[in-house]
Amino acid sequence: MSASIIDGKMLSQKVRDSVTEDVKRWVEKGNRKPKLQVILVGENPASRAYVGAKTKACIDVGIDSDTLMLPDTISEQELTEVIQSFNEDDNTDGILVQLPIPNHITPLSVIEAIDHRKDVDGFHPMNVGRMSVGQPSFRPCTPAGIIEMLRHYSIQTKGKHAVVVGASNIVGTPMGIILSRENTTGKATTTICHKFTKDLTKHTIDADILIVAVGQPGLISGQMVKEGVVVIDVGITRIADHTTEKGYKLTGDCDFDSVSEKASWITPVPGGVGPMTVAMLMKNTLLAAKKSIYPPK
Ligand code: NAD
């Protein structure tokens, strides 16, 4: 079998076009434009690139955005005070603190400082908790984008064995929750693997749907998957490549050539999950502006 490509670039553009239309209608009704506040701490080049992609997407869909750059010497207290000021600002709909943040700051303290009604990344425990019990919530953008991809390509999850490799708070764990919910979203039998999993292949070989979010190029090879598997490669690693203009190329966690020989569907890197993440952020920011998830009482 040779896999068909799940085209994240094309699908993300569809999502963005639909958000653009919705934003236009929202503004035509007399509302102000949705506004996303991005906070970037330190000088991480990959973070800068991600923030650049997110703010460019905002411009494209008609969402206002502002990026506050803070030095990596900022204290946790100072950072939470900055977040608090945006929580109280009625002109700010969504707040995003680009991760990772410097080691002296606890990520969860920062995430918890964000008003959950403005948590467009969907990382706040209130949103994660509500998602876990099937209540309306902001869903983390990467897992939400993956669900959108599966839906678009009519890839059923109900009753399937979904295996998620990687258990981070931002991708693997929420992905597992969404896929496993029996009465709402995924309805799949779900296995979550992580660095302590013994014999990874024992799990991956049994997957009908395999989602890999680790950050280790080549972790999954063709020998580790079964014929017909659907593979979603979330990993993004920069590998030095002097033949490219930027001096690096982006690589996923799967050995694309050997895995795509057996898979029925596969996402490429780049052009797969990455653009969907950005598109879902646009969707969440509009939901925040409309107060759709948390209507005012
Ligand atoms: P992380 O870096 O916080 O954690 C990595 C996870 O992988 C952990 O749960 C760890 O236990 C697990 N792991 C490590 N080695 C393993 C092994 N040998 N076998 C099985 N599991 C193992 O995770 P993250 O922040 O979700 O990032 C993972 C990758 O996804 C990175 O490459 C990141 O750049 C990428 N990412 C991409 C997007 C996107 O939009 N495409 C979004 C977020 C993250």
Side-chain angles (χ1 to χ4, degrees):
M1 181 175 282
S2 183
S4 303
I5 299 292
I6 297 178
D7 187 346
K9 212 170 161 198
M10 172 279 297
L11 183 54
S12 67
Q13 192 55 54
K14 271 185 175 246
V15 173
R16 281 160 67 150
D17 289 348
S18 125
V19 173
T20 306
E21 278 304 305
D22 284 357
V23 168
K24 209 170 129 217
R25 276 197 292 272
W26 176 248
V27 173
E28 277 167 5
K29 278 188 201 156
N31 300 293
R32 67 163 167 74
K33 280 181 169 186
K35 161 97 187 278
L36 174 67
Q37 179 64 50
V38 179
I39 300 172
L40 177 61
V41 186
E43 300 282 335
N44 183 326
S47 293
R48 272 180 176 256
Y50 292 139
V51 166
K54 289 168 188 177
T55 50
K56 184 179 170 300
C58 284
I59 295 168
D60 288 352
V61 302
I63 289 177
D64 274 340
S65 80
D66 184 34
T67 303
L68 179 64
M69 311 245 232
L70 296 169
D72 58 8
T73 49
I74 192 166
S75 70
E76 189 168 304
Q77 168 82 19
E78 286 167 325
L79 181 54
T80 51
E81 281 169 16
V82 168
I83 292 169
Q84 190 56 35
S85 69
F86 293 123
N87 285 343
E88 287 163 12
D89 176 15
D90 288 341
N91 291 322
T92 299
D93 299 301
I95 302 171
L96 179 157
V97 179
Q98 182 64 44
L99 300 178
I101 45 178
N103 287 335
H104 66 276
I105 303 174
T106 316
L108 196 54
S109 306
V110 172
I111 290 164
E112 282 196 290
I114 299 171
D115 184 331
H116 63 273
R117 292 164 298 188
K118 298 188 177 188
D119 169 40
V120 286
D121 256 341
F123 297 160
H124 191 290
M126 174 71 105
N127 283 310
V128 180
R130 286 175 64 92
M131 182 180 73
S132 307
V133 293
Q135 287 295 304
S137 64
F138 288 108
R139 292 194 303 171
C141 302
T142 303
I146 292 170
I147 292 294
E148 194 78 21
M149 284 173 143
L150 297 175
R151 234 183 242 151
H152 178 82
Y153 286 92
S154 304
I155 297 166
Q156 302 294 324
T157 54
K158 185 177 170 185
K160 297 286 170 61
H161 184 200
V163 175
V164 182
V165 185
S168 70
N169 286 348
I170 63 171
V171 184
T173 296
M175 189 75 254
I177 294 169
I178 294 171
L179 285 167
S180 63
R181 294 285 309 161
E182 68 171 321
N183 291 325
T184 45
T185 36
K187 303 181 172 72
T189 304
T190 306
T191 302
I192 301 186
C193 303
H194 43 62
K195 60 177 178 278
F196 299 117
T197 299
K198 287 181 189 149
D199 193 356
L200 186 59
T201 302
K202 194 175 116 192
H203 303 282
T204 57
I205 199 92
D206 190 50
D208 301 312
I209 298 168
L210 179 64
I211 294 167
V212 193
V214 173
Q216 280 180 29
L219 177 69
I220 305 296
S221 66
Q223 288 168 332
M224 297 170 73
V225 299
K226 71 177 178 191
E227 283 287 335
V229 63
V230 174
V231 178
I232 309 290
D233 191 347
V234 184
I236 302 179
T237 304
R238 286 185 176 198
I239 306 238
D241 181 349
H242 299 296
T243 64
T244 67
E245 202 181 308
K246 289 179 174 164
Y248 66 84
K249 63 175 182 180
L250 300 179
T251 310
D253 289 339
C254 297
D255 172 40
F256 187 86
D257 290 344
S258 65
V259 172
S260 60
E261 264 174 36
K262 289 172 93 178
S264 53
W265 291 96
I266 192 166
T267 59
V269 179
V273 177
M276 288 304 291
T277 299
V278 178
M280 298 316 278
L281 175 67
M282 299 301 105
K283 211 168 170 178
N284 276 353
T285 305
L286 177 60
L287 288 173
K290 288 181 166 177
K291 302 191 173 18
S292 306
I293 309 280
Y294 298 105
K297 290 197 175 119

